[in-house]
Amino acid sequence: MQILVFGIIALALAGNTLQTFVEGTPDVATAATVFCGVFVQALRFLALGVVISGLIAVFATPDRLARWLPRRTGTAILAAGVSGAALPGCECGSVPVARRLFGDATGGAVGAAALTFMLAAPAINPVVLVATAVAFPGHPQMVVARCVASLLTALIMGALWARFGRPDWITRHLPEPHHGEGSRWAVFTEAARHDFLSAASYLVVGAAAAAALHVLVPAWVYEHLAGQVALGVLTMALLAVVLALCSEADAFVAASLTMLPLLPRLVFLVVGPAVDIKLFAMQAGMFGRAFAIRFAPATFVVATLVASGVGLLIIGPR
């Protein structure tokens, strides 16, 4: 906290100098715009997420959650995936919520359900689906395909964690709350503070990486590779990882890419909320690097394949 305060004071004192430098350097100005766009879009939902995670720390401990969930792992995963529709927010808010739900679970129903919820919540909630419908008027199949593909991706990743997840991949642990009488406010504030600082610091890293890639990779590279459907699917999947857009805004970006068929744009909409640069950084900060380097690539492959398969069935190769 002291470092944060001193950093803000230093930046405030150097504000005029930094503003002049940014305005005089187009690439830096572009990177700064992208960074601010990603960070500001995500911050409000991150704040919502840490408030919910604080409430979970007070009222929904992992032991209590285990009693609430269905006993069968498959049923628990399905319930968590469907319940993701109840949290209107983006993927940045779902990471701290999932970490708090996860607790110290490593397998079974609780851990798998938490990760399923983390992937489903930002992709199938009503706000995102309505935004997709508005962005693609006349193409209701895009809304259906996005919802189905995103939910299937979340369910598959939850099942994979239940089957193959290992305890030593979770290297970052939550502070132990004290559930004594009259301490709920202290538990809430400590949990929310811890989750916000942990997630926000890595969100800064992810947003900075996305901003740098916007500047370093020329736009013609994406346009050239996206000229064919097969290459377009892979390109748009990679582009979703690089751009790190909010799930409530990505539909409008995808809709603007009218030179591409609907199928690659669907892949973009499914992959983005599941895995991108900022999410990888946040997962590394909340769960640990060993978890992130395994979970993120697996999610990318599953999301790309599922979106392609569902897209071919619902909207065809166009």
Side-chain angles (χ1 to χ4, degrees):
M1 185 62 70
Q2 289 86 347
I3 295 174
L4 176 63
V5 171
F6 284 122
I8 292 174
I9 293 174
L11 289 173
L13 294 175
N16 290 334
T17 303
L18 291 174
Q19 181 180 355
T20 302
F21 172 73
V22 171
E23 290 177 347
T25 313
D27 286 345
V28 175
T30 300
T33 301
V34 172
F35 174 85
C36 290
V38 171
F39 187 78
V40 172
Q41 276 188 117
L43 190 61
R44 61 191 178 202
F45 297 107
L46 175 59
L48 173 63
V50 298
V51 169
I52 296 174
S53 72
L55 294 174
I56 289 170
V58 176
F59 298 107
T61 62
D63 292 339
R64 191 175 297 170
L65 181 66
R67 293 196 299 268
W68 291 345
L69 284 172
R71 293 185 179 275
R72 294 174 59 88
T73 301
T75 308
I77 292 172
L78 180 60
V82 174
S83 66
L87 181 63
C90 78
E91 57 275 16
C92 299
S94 68
V95 174
V97 172
R99 183 64 187 95
R100 187 61 60 177
L101 288 171
F102 197 97
D104 292 324
T106 55
V110 175
L115 296 180
T116 301
F117 179 86
M118 181 178 72
L119 296 178
I124 67 169
N125 71 73
V127 176
V128 170
L129 297 181
V130 169
T132 306
V134 172
F136 290 91
H139 296 287
Q141 67 272 28
M142 284 292 288
V143 181
V144 176
R146 180 177 193 178
C147 182
V148 172
S150 297
L151 180 58
L152 283 177
T153 298
L155 296 177
I156 291 172
M157 289 306 301
L160 289 176
W161 177 263
R163 177 66 177 84
F164 300 107
R166 294 176 51 184
D168 54 341
W169 294 349
I170 309 298
T171 56
R172 290 185 178 267
H173 299 284
L174 298 171
E176 283 293 328
H178 302 286
H179 293 279
E181 192 67 30
S183 65
R184 286 183 172 180
W185 175 250
V187 172
F188 170 79
T189 55
E190 176 60 22
R193 183 198 64 81
H194 173 273
D195 292 354
F196 181 80
L197 292 178
S198 298
S201 60
Y202 283 87
L203 173 59
V204 170
V205 175
L213 289 172
H214 270 79
V215 175
L216 297 177
V217 180
W220 63 264
V221 173
Y222 301 119
E223 296 174 0
H224 177 73
L225 292 177
Q228 304 178 35
V229 174
L231 286 178
V233 166
L234 180 59
T235 301
M236 292 301 286
L238 294 172
L239 191 61
V241 175
V242 171
L243 291 182
L245 297 174
C246 173
S247 62
E248 298 187 347
D250 58 1
F252 299 97
V253 175
S256 68
L257 302 175
T258 54
M259 75 290 295
L260 293 174
L262 290 177
L263 179 60
R265 289 188 276 176
L266 172 65
V267 173
F268 178 84
L269 296 178
V270 174
V271 172
V275 54
D276 60 32
I277 290 174
K278 70 176 185 301
L279 282 177
F280 176 83
M282 292 177 70
Q283 289 169 7
M286 299 296 290
F287 291 90
R289 187 184 304 174
F291 170 87
I293 62 177
R294 291 170 173 83
F295 190 79
T299 304
F300 176 83
V301 173
V302 170
T304 303
L305 293 177
V306 169
S308 300
V310 171
L312 287 173
L313 290 174
I314 295 180
I315 62 179
R318 58 185 181 89

